[in-house]
Amino acid sequence: MIYKILEAYGMERSGLEVTPFGSGLINHTWKVDTTDDSYILQRINDNVFKTPGDIAHNTRLIGNYLLDTNPEYLFVRSLLTNAGTDLHFVEGEGYFRLVPFIKGSHTVDVVQTPLQAFEAAKQFGKFTYLLKDFPVEKLRVTIPDFHNLSLRYQQFLQALETGNPERIATSAREIKWLTEQDFIVKRFDAMKQNPAFKMRVTHHDTKISNVLFDAEDRGVCVIDLDTVMPGYFISDVGDMMRTCLSPVSEEEQDFSKIQIRDSYYTAIVRGYLEGINGELTAEEQSSFFDAGCYLMYMQALRFLADHLNNDVYYGARYPGHNYVRACNQITLLRRMLEKEEGFRKYIEKI
Ligand code: GN1
Ligand code: MG
């Protein structure tokens, strides 16, 4: 099947090496090696992205805009099929896209140093900065309400009504704690009402593995642009905090290893501020800490709701997988809330 797809791009089967690649939960990814070059092939999950053509539309618009305004910026475009399309559709299999693998670049799965976090944050900030004058309303929304915390909370409440009763019963403690933290939703709603929070072109999936680094570990550009949409900066900063502050990931089952590291917090704040180059309003700047809380809380709600809904969205590699992920994210958020005073002070200071 894969070789058939690659044929659509004019690639011959002989000499190709195809291996599964990366750790994304939603799309399937392969690395394709030829004798001269390497590529990344992805199948877009059209259960999640209902209109894959919108992703292509967005990346085309942004790619063209950046080519005009910042031609030196490395923007990883989809390659065209022999038929001239930037997506390849296979009946029964769905939508595929092929992008070049950037030579000399590498990705990082788990952040190793504050400098990497700084560099990644700077790249996400820079991406939004470079697109500050791009007409954000021209972008299509690839997943409606993707980072709408109020809606995620409603979906969580819905899962308490219609989810698996056994799982609801055994998750009682976590459900109680999460419902007690609904002040975070109220804070988020207030932010949405506040015109100081600008709609910007944001990435919405800012884990460290979505940044390309060069050999010196300097950030090169951001990748995985499926969820690039109009949004708030808190999405990008918040998901960086969610995935970089702790030395262990959302998959860790030993929750005693979950910590919030101050040096990574300051690295993310400084890196993002450098990348976005003065574009944030004062009120946006004062909500870095909230950004982390929003995204940690949202992911805890999403994992637990999915567990209650029998893992229909994320799937599960072992029984209770999404329950464990939810508990992991709850621990992360608890640790984060303990840091509130110090982290807010740090922002005031700079
Ligand atoms: C999904 O597929 P991946 O790993 O890039 C999810 C993110 C979650 C993340 C949690 C479209 O991202 O929102 O934060 O899993 N993407 C979608 O690991 O739902
Ligand atoms: Mg992704």
Side-chain angles (χ1 to χ4, degrees), residues 24-27 49 203 205 207 210 224 226-227:
L25 300 184
I26 302 299
N27 296 327
F49 296 98
H203 185 285
D205 191 9
K207 55 191 171 196
N210 283 337
D224 192 7
D226 305 336
T227 50

Side-chain angles (χ1 to χ4, degrees), residues 19 33-34 60 91 127-128 135 156-158 184 188 192 213 217 233 261 279 282 289 291 305 320 332:
T19 36
D33 293 297
T34 69
R60 232 176 1 244
E91 196 62 52
F127 182 69
T128 295
F156 166 72
L157 295 181
Q158 182 64 42
I184 300 176
F188 178 87
K192 278 201 306 188
F213 289 92
D217 254 1
F233 93 101
R261 298 172 294 179
E279 276 303 303
F289 170 78
L332 184 70

Side-chain angles (χ1 to χ4, degrees), residues 33-67:
D33 293 297
T34 69
T35 32
D36 303 320
D37 293 303
S38 300
Y39 303 87
I40 295 292
L41 177 72
Q42 280 193 305
R43 174 166 58 202
I44 298 175
N45 180 334
D46 52 12
N47 266 327
V48 172
F49 296 98
K50 309 275 186 212
T51 47
D54 287 351
I55 298 176
H57 169 92
N58 288 349
T59 45
R60 232 176 1 244
L61 281 189
I62 290 176
N64 291 342
Y65 180 87
L66 289 173
L67 203 58

Side-chain angles (χ1 to χ4, degrees), residues 75-131:
F75 183 78
V76 187
R77 282 168 169 263
S78 293
L79 298 168
L80 298 184
T81 62
N82 284 347
T85 58
D86 42 17
L87 284 177
H88 180 61
F89 178 71
V90 183
E91 196 62 52
E93 296 289 348
Y95 290 86
F96 293 80
R97 69 161 158 232
L98 189 71
V99 297
F101 184 89
I102 305 301
K103 276 201 185 121
S105 76
H106 66 278
T107 53
V108 171
D109 262 331
V110 182
V111 62
Q112 308 285 350
T113 62
L115 181 66
Q116 283 176 346
F118 174 90
E119 286 292 320
K122 185 173 151 187
Q123 285 304 320
F124 287 114
K126 179 179 175 183
F127 182 69
T128 295
Y129 175 73
L130 293 179
L131 294 163

